[in-house]
Amino acid sequence: ELQGSVDNPITERTLLTKCEALLDPEILRGNSVLDLGACMGALSHYILCAGATCVVATDANKDLCDKARLHLREQWVEDPDLLQGKDLRQVAGPCFQVVHCGISELLASLGTGSFDVIVATGVLHCFTDPVKVLLEMVRVAKKALLIEALHVAAFRDGLLSDVHRDVVSLQHGNGILQMEPSSASNKAGGASACTGVSVTPSRELIESIMFNCGFNCTRVRVVPHPQHPSDMAVYNKVTEGAALPRRYFLRCQRQDSKSAGDLLPLLEQAEVREEDASMPFGQDNQVENWNRQKCFTEDSSSKNSGGYSRQDQVLEGPTKDSVTYSSNQWVLDQSVADMYDLHAVMHIPDYLEVISTCVRLVEKQYKVMSLQDRAAFSVLDYGSATGNTLEALLKAGFINLHGVDCSQAMVNAAKKKLPDSVELRCHDRVSASQVYHAVLANWTLHYVSDREVRRKHIHDIARALHPGGMLVLTDKTEQSSLVSELYHEWKMAQGVTTEEVFEKSSVFEGALSSHEVSWYEEVLRESGFGKVTVVSAKFGFITWMAEKIARTVNHPDQPIRSLTANEGRNAGQPPTVALGALIHSGRDFLFWTVDDGLQQRYDSQKNSAEDASKPYAVWTWKGPDEFVMECPHDGSLLGCIFPDSAPVKLQMLDNNSSNPVSSHELLPGMYFTHSGPVSICGGSGYMITVPGFCAMPLIGGPIEEEGRLPYIDGCSDSLLIPPPRLGDPCLNFLHFPPGIFQTRHTHPSGRAGIVVRGKGTCIYVDSAGQECSQPLVPGLCFVIPTDTPHSFKTEAGETMDVVAFHPDSDFGPTGDSHPMVNRTIVNGVSASLLPEIRTNEDFQKR
């Protein structure tokens, strides 16, 4: 009935948040409670859920009392005699009584300390003598007074300061009372207000009275809900020209036995706290029955100039001081996870707007990719924190969602919000085994201080995206002193205290590293993003959208032809020829069979933006004609003879004179490498030309039945042609036993291979995000571009053998680490540890 109220709208979410913010179960549990201004009994219900032994609900509106009684009777026992002189400490409970009575009249009829706790929501602004009413509450409340009230207009409009107390001095017990010509208090069934003169006490005045009466006060601030920021606007929204929101919460707990009559100057011992209101409700089954949602609250502390200190104190929920940051160390532990939702909207400009923008961009990207349904559209939230962005995407209808965060506490917090269908992992890197249509990396990378490590993270993200995929990246960039000052002023306008602003700046100085805008855009482009656009910017927090370049495969259209030895040698370079019998291309994978003649199948520098930095070209030949295959500049050839080939006559030629260096007859399954031209006659096979690589002349094989090294999922591997030095190319043999279905995976560089024995299937994801499969048979050649998800499988009773070229390696000897130098011992010390005797690197031939 009160959902339409302008002054205090009541919905399930706002009511629940209000209860969590004000009604601390640790204060209520086991105590008797007087609920003043109980309305329809919702807070009384929550009070009993939180473990109170009994509650007396009172309101001046009979209609509301009748409704409260009906509502509470549905779950609780009614005791109509609670106010009939009973010792409420002896009440077994839980039970309730609803009393239709004026607040002043009821308080006057009660004895001192009659109730342990008084809850007064929205009532103190309804009297002409609020101080007297407040003092009566203090007299009746034995332990605590929980208040929700209105800020007076003088403070709300900024005429007086509630934060710095430059006008009001609590040392003198001052505050203000402001006359309201028309008091706003809700009535059943509408948003109308009672008319008539009333007097509203300022928060300063209430705190001053409570201090003098031996109470400590906790200010509870509610920040906007990430998905529903307008719900609690009356408690957190500062309208244009205003200094404070309309309403506030105070928890006041008695620290000694003083009553209202004492009114002694206790200001030196008094303390005001501002803290989080989230409570550990999971400990109480009855409170769980409330079906509560997350309460988004905020804590902060400040020190004022009014002669007393405002301190944080941990009750049960986390407060700022429980967050682990000391000595300039920022640890993403449980305390940070508990406070993240609360702090994000207060410290990150446009936090909610960026999440909303991400959802809209993902919607548009989904339409661009033209997938069949949203289940096929995969989104990764890199640095997913407590899951707010994933939750927003889930509500927008996306279900193929993944989150990665380096903090297990953050991941655990996200799991509480999200269903099990959302994959959440604790890791600090993007997985190399999955590929996505969109990646969101908001407020994450600026915690990676090392530039090169941050660059590597961006490269990893690029590799994790489908061609044409989208990255949304938000980071704090370098700020000038003026912009930094504006940012701090903005935070203080959100309610963050000056002390907290500068304290956090000091803490983050060593944990958060800001780079220039130009650095980000340069790294994004070098990572393969073609279009980089600034979506939004505020106080140096920049949001970019970057689109990954879609791969294209160029198909030369010259006719196929074979070469004689003389033609090849006269030409000086291998001819540019057609791709031949290309049987399938998904814009990512290439598969082809072998046709007559010499054919260039693939050139990484021409055919792939991702593989251009590691140049190689794939060639095949078939037929009796002799031809000479020239080497690229300062490069090498690696080759393998097909399993059904006739014997091949191979001559390794000198690079300068083209005279034969050695002659060989290669059988099916054999392989070779040479850093110069070769003459080939007969048979069939495939070759890789690699510029800038000096290979060792080598003849090997035939390949064995199985690999000598374990690989993955039961497969084995042998290194046929090892890298002469760390990082050099290599040639590998893979054996797939029967009934293998590999884990889907990717490679950080391209692969070029051939099926030499047996048969199986390649399953891969193409550039459109569709899963494809390709039968593999002997003689079938393929190219796997960088970071393309795939897996191989064999059927029961079938094996498969593959020879695969790698353009790089993370394995191999180096100048100061190889078996000869490592195992040369001088006086008990390896020569690898004696640079003064090691040969200088300058001699080495590459």
Side-chain angles (χ1 to χ4, degrees), residues 369-372 376 378 435-437 464-469 548 550-551 584-591 744 762-773 785-791:
M369 300 297 280
S370 301
L371 300 183
Q372 294 179 349
S378 57
V435 65
Y436 309 94
H437 297 94
L465 275 168
H466 283 289
K548 184 176 179 180
R551 294 189 183 104
H584 182 81
S585 168
R587 291 173 58 205
D588 296 327
F589 270 71
L590 293 176
F591 300 94
R744 179 170 291 181
C762 176
I763 301 170
Y764 63 98
V765 178
D766 69 10
S767 58
Q770 302 299 314
E771 186 172 279
C772 306
S773 63
T786 298
D787 296 323
T788 305
H790 65 284
S791 60

Coordinates of all heavy atoms in Angstrom, one line a residue, residues 369-372 376 378 435-437 464-469 548 550-551 584-591 744 762-773 785-791:
M369 N 27.4 -10.9 -33.8 CA 28.0 -12.2 -34.1 C 27.0 -13.1 -34.8 O 27.4 -14.2 -35.3 CB 28.5 -12.8 -32.8 CG 29.5 -12.0 -32.1 SD 31.1 -11.9 -33.0 CE 31.8 -13.5 -32.6
S370 N 25.7 -12.8 -34.7 CA 24.7 -13.5 -35.4 C 24.6 -15.0 -35.0 O 24.6 -15.9 -35.9 CB 24.8 -13.4 -37.0 OG 24.8 -12.0 -37.4
L371 N 24.7 -15.2 -33.8 CA 24.6 -16.6 -33.3 C 23.2 -17.0 -33.2 O 22.3 -16.2 -33.1 CB 25.3 -16.7 -31.9 CG 26.8 -16.4 -31.9 CD1 27.4 -16.6 -30.5 CD2 27.6 -17.2 -32.9
Q372 N 23.0 -18.4 -33.1 CA 21.6 -18.9 -33.1 C 20.9 -18.5 -31.8 O 19.7 -18.2 -31.9 CB 21.6 -20.4 -33.3 CG 22.2 -20.8 -34.6 CD 22.2 -22.3 -34.8 OE1 22.0 -23.1 -33.8 NE2 22.4 -22.8 -36.0
A376 N 24.9 -19.9 -27.0 CA 26.1 -20.1 -27.8 C 27.1 -18.9 -27.6 O 28.2 -19.0 -28.0 CB 25.8 -20.3 -29.2
S378 N 29.4 -16.7 -25.5 CA 30.2 -16.9 -24.3 C 30.8 -15.5 -23.9 O 31.3 -14.8 -24.7 CB 31.2 -17.9 -24.5 OG 32.1 -17.6 -25.5
V435 N 37.7 -20.1 -25.3 CA 37.6 -18.9 -26.2 C 36.2 -18.3 -26.0 O 35.2 -19.0 -25.8 CB 37.9 -19.3 -27.6 CG1 36.8 -20.2 -28.2 CG2 38.1 -18.0 -28.5
Y436 N 36.1 -16.9 -26.1 CA 34.9 -16.2 -25.8 C 34.6 -15.2 -26.9 O 35.4 -14.8 -27.6 CB 35.1 -15.5 -24.4 CG 35.6 -16.3 -23.3 CD1 37.0 -16.4 -23.0 CD2 34.7 -17.1 -22.5 CE1 37.4 -17.2 -22.0 CE2 35.2 -17.9 -21.5 CZ 36.6 -17.9 -21.3 OH 37.0 -18.7 -20.2
H437 N 33.3 -14.8 -26.9 CA 32.8 -13.8 -27.8 C 33.0 -12.4 -27.2 O 33.1 -11.4 -28.0 CB 31.4 -14.1 -28.2 CG 31.2 -15.4 -28.9 ND1 30.8 -16.5 -28.2 CD2 31.3 -15.7 -30.2 CE1 30.7 -17.5 -29.1 NE2 31.0 -17.0 -30.3
A464 N 42.2 -15.1 -26.0 CA 41.0 -15.8 -25.5 C 39.7 -15.3 -26.2 O 38.6 -15.8 -25.9 CB 40.8 -15.5 -24.0
L465 N 39.8 -14.4 -27.2 CA 38.7 -13.9 -27.9 C 38.6 -14.6 -29.3 O 39.6 -14.8 -30.0 CB 38.7 -12.4 -28.0 CG 38.2 -11.6 -26.9 CD1 38.6 -10.1 -27.1 CD2 36.7 -11.7 -26.8
H466 N 37.3 -14.8 -29.7 CA 37.1 -15.2 -31.1 C 37.5 -14.0 -32.0 O 37.4 -12.8 -31.6 CB 35.6 -15.5 -31.3 CG 35.1 -16.8 -30.9 ND1 35.5 -18.0 -31.5 CD2 34.3 -17.1 -29.8 CE1 34.9 -19.0 -30.8 NE2 34.2 -18.5 -29.8
P467 N 38.0 -14.3 -33.2 CA 38.1 -13.2 -34.2 C 36.8 -12.4 -34.3 O 35.8 -13.0 -34.4 CB 38.5 -13.9 -35.5 CG 39.1 -15.2 -35.0 CD 38.4 -15.6 -33.8
G468 N 36.9 -11.1 -34.2 CA 35.7 -10.3 -34.2 C 35.1 -10.1 -32.9 O 34.1 -9.4 -32.7
G469 N 35.7 -10.7 -31.8 CA 35.2 -10.6 -30.5 C 35.5 -9.2 -29.9 O 36.2 -8.4 -30.4
K548 N 38.5 -7.3 -31.7 CA 39.6 -8.1 -32.2 C 39.5 -8.3 -33.7 O 38.4 -8.5 -34.3 CB 39.6 -9.5 -31.6 CG 40.8 -10.4 -32.0 CD 40.8 -11.7 -31.2 CE 41.9 -12.5 -31.7 NZ 41.9 -13.8 -30.9
A550 N 39.2 -9.7 -37.2 CA 38.8 -11.0 -37.7 C 39.9 -11.6 -38.6 O 40.4 -10.9 -39.5 CB 37.5 -10.9 -38.4
R551 N 40.2 -12.9 -38.5 CA 41.2 -13.5 -39.4 C 40.6 -13.6 -40.8 O 39.5 -13.8 -41.0 CB 41.5 -14.9 -38.9 CG 42.2 -15.0 -37.6 CD 42.7 -16.4 -37.4 NE 43.3 -16.5 -36.1 CZ 42.7 -17.1 -35.0 NH1 41.5 -17.6 -35.2 NH2 43.4 -17.2 -33.9
H584 N 38.3 -27.8 -46.7 CA 37.5 -27.1 -45.7 C 38.3 -25.9 -45.2 O 39.5 -26.0 -44.9 CB 37.1 -28.0 -44.6 CG 36.2 -27.3 -43.6 ND1 34.9 -27.1 -43.8 CD2 36.5 -26.7 -42.4 CE1 34.4 -26.5 -42.7 NE2 35.4 -26.2 -41.9
S585 N 37.6 -24.8 -44.9 CA 38.3 -23.7 -44.2 C 37.2 -23.1 -43.3 O 36.2 -22.6 -43.8 CB 38.8 -22.7 -45.1 OG 39.2 -21.5 -44.4
G586 N 37.4 -23.0 -42.0 CA 36.5 -22.3 -41.1 C 37.0 -20.9 -40.8 O 36.7 -20.4 -39.7
R587 N 37.9 -20.3 -41.6 CA 38.5 -19.1 -41.4 C 39.6 -19.2 -40.3 O 40.4 -18.3 -40.1 CB 37.5 -18.0 -41.1 CG 36.7 -17.5 -42.2 CD 35.6 -16.5 -41.7 NE 36.2 -15.4 -41.2 CZ 35.6 -14.6 -40.3 NH1 34.4 -14.9 -39.8 NH2 36.2 -13.5 -39.8
D588 N 39.6 -20.3 -39.6 CA 40.6 -20.6 -38.5 C 41.4 -21.8 -39.0 O 42.6 -21.6 -39.3 CB 39.9 -20.9 -37.2 CG 39.1 -19.7 -36.7 OD1 39.5 -18.5 -36.9 OD2 38.1 -19.9 -36.1
F589 N 40.8 -22.9 -39.0 CA 41.5 -24.1 -39.4 C 41.6 -24.2 -40.9 O 40.7 -23.8 -41.6 CB 40.8 -25.4 -38.9 CG 41.2 -25.9 -37.5 CD1 40.9 -25.1 -36.4 CD2 42.0 -27.0 -37.4 CE1 41.3 -25.6 -35.2 CE2 42.4 -27.5 -36.2 CZ 42.1 -26.7 -35.0
L590 N 42.6 -24.8 -41.4 CA 42.7 -25.2 -42.8 C 43.0 -26.7 -42.9 O 43.8 -27.2 -42.2 CB 43.9 -24.5 -43.5 CG 43.7 -22.9 -43.7 CD1 45.0 -22.4 -44.3 CD2 42.5 -22.6 -44.5
F591 N 42.3 -27.4 -43.8 CA 42.5 -28.8 -44.1 C 42.6 -29.0 -45.6 O 41.9 -28.4 -46.3 CB 41.4 -29.7 -43.6 CG 41.1 -29.5 -42.1 CD1 40.2 -28.6 -41.6 CD2 41.8 -30.3 -41.2 CE1 39.9 -28.5 -40.2 CE2 41.5 -30.2 -39.8 CZ 40.6 -29.3 -39.3
R744 N 39.5 -30.1 -24.7 CA 39.6 -29.0 -25.6 C 40.7 -28.0 -25.1 O 40.8 -27.7 -24.0 CB 38.3 -28.2 -25.7 CG 38.3 -27.0 -26.6 CD 37.0 -26.4 -26.8 NE 36.2 -27.3 -27.6 CZ 34.9 -27.1 -28.0 NH1 34.3 -25.9 -27.6 NH2 34.2 -27.9 -28.7
C762 N 39.0 -34.2 -35.9 CA 39.3 -32.9 -35.3 C 38.0 -32.2 -35.0 O 37.2 -31.9 -35.9 CB 40.2 -32.1 -36.2 SG 40.6 -30.5 -35.5
I763 N 37.8 -31.7 -33.7 CA 36.7 -30.9 -33.3 C 37.2 -29.6 -32.9 O 38.1 -29.5 -32.1 CB 35.9 -31.6 -32.2 CG1 35.5 -33.0 -32.6 CG2 34.8 -30.8 -31.7 CD1 35.0 -33.8 -31.4
Y764 N 36.7 -28.5 -33.5 CA 37.2 -27.2 -33.3 C 36.1 -26.2 -33.3 O 35.0 -26.4 -33.8 CB 38.3 -26.8 -34.3 CG 37.8 -26.7 -35.7 CD1 37.5 -25.5 -36.3 CD2 37.6 -27.9 -36.5 CE1 37.0 -25.4 -37.6 CE2 37.2 -27.8 -37.8 CZ 36.9 -26.6 -38.3 OH 36.4 -26.5 -39.6
V765 N 36.4 -25.0 -32.8 CA 35.4 -23.9 -32.8 C 35.9 -22.9 -33.9 O 37.0 -22.4 -33.8 CB 35.4 -23.2 -31.4 CG1 34.5 -22.0 -31.5 CG2 35.0 -24.2 -30.4
D766 N 35.0 -22.6 -34.8 CA 35.4 -21.7 -35.9 C 35.3 -20.2 -35.5 O 34.8 -19.9 -34.4 CB 34.7 -22.0 -37.2 CG 33.2 -21.7 -37.2 OD1 32.8 -21.0 -36.2 OD2 32.5 -22.0 -38.1
S767 N 35.6 -19.3 -36.4 CA 35.6 -17.9 -36.0 C 34.2 -17.4 -35.7 O 34.1 -16.3 -35.1 CB 36.2 -17.1 -37.2 OG 35.5 -17.3 -38.4
A768 N 33.1 -18.1 -36.1 CA 31.8 -17.6 -35.8 C 31.3 -18.2 -34.5 O 30.1 -18.0 -34.1 CB 30.8 -18.0 -37.0
G769 N 32.2 -19.0 -33.8 CA 31.8 -19.5 -32.6 C 31.1 -20.9 -32.7 O 30.6 -21.4 -31.7
Q770 N 31.0 -21.4 -33.9 CA 30.3 -22.7 -34.1 C 31.3 -23.9 -33.9 O 32.4 -23.8 -34.3 CB 29.7 -22.7 -35.5 CG 28.7 -21.6 -35.7 CD 27.5 -21.7 -34.8 OE1 26.9 -22.7 -34.5 NE2 27.2 -20.5 -34.2
E771 N 30.8 -24.9 -33.3 CA 31.6 -26.1 -33.2 C 31.6 -26.9 -34.5 O 30.5 -27.2 -35.1 CB 31.2 -27.0 -32.1 CG 32.1 -28.2 -31.8 CD 31.7 -28.9 -30.5 OE1 32.1 -28.4 -29.4 OE2 31.0 -29.9 -30.6
C772 N 32.7 -27.3 -35.0 CA 32.9 -28.0 -36.3 C 33.7 -29.3 -36.1 O 34.4 -29.4 -35.1 CB 33.5 -27.1 -37.4 SG 32.8 -25.5 -37.6
S773 N 33.5 -30.2 -37.0 CA 34.3 -31.4 -36.9 C 34.8 -31.8 -38.3 O 34.2 -31.5 -39.3 CB 33.5 -32.6 -36.3 OG 32.4 -32.9 -37.2
P785 N 45.6 -22.2 -36.4 CA 46.1 -20.9 -36.0 C 46.2 -20.7 -34.5 O 45.7 -21.5 -33.8 CB 45.1 -20.0 -36.7 CG 44.4 -20.8 -37.7 CD 44.4 -22.2 -37.2
T786 N 46.9 -19.7 -34.1 CA 47.1 -19.4 -32.7 C 45.8 -19.3 -32.0 O 44.8 -18.7 -32.4 CB 47.8 -18.0 -32.6 OG1 49.1 -18.1 -33.2 CG2 48.0 -17.6 -31.2
D787 N 45.8 -19.9 -30.8 CA 44.7 -19.8 -29.8 C 43.3 -20.2 -30.3 O 42.3 -19.7 -29.9 CB 44.6 -18.3 -29.3 CG 45.8 -17.9 -28.6 OD1 46.3 -18.8 -27.8 OD2 46.2 -16.8 -28.7
T788 N 43.3 -21.2 -31.3 CA 42.0 -21.7 -31.7 C 41.6 -22.9 -31.0 O 42.4 -23.9 -31.0 CB 42.1 -22.0 -33.3 OG1 42.5 -20.9 -34.0 CG2 40.7 -22.4 -33.8
P789 N 40.5 -23.0 -30.3 CA 40.1 -24.1 -29.4 C 39.9 -25.3 -30.3 O 39.2 -25.3 -31.4 CB 38.9 -23.7 -28.7 CG 38.9 -22.2 -28.8 CD 39.6 -21.9 -30.1
H790 N 40.4 -26.5 -29.9 CA 40.2 -27.7 -30.7 C 40.5 -28.9 -29.8 O 41.1 -28.8 -28.7 CB 41.2 -27.7 -31.9 CG 42.6 -27.8 -31.5 ND1 43.3 -26.7 -31.0 CD2 43.5 -28.8 -31.5 CE1 44.5 -27.0 -30.8 NE2 44.7 -28.3 -31.0
S791 N 40.2 -30.1 -30.3 CA 40.6 -31.3 -29.7 C 40.5 -32.4 -30.7 O 39.9 -32.3 -31.8 CB 39.6 -31.7 -28.5 OG 38.3 -31.8 -29.0

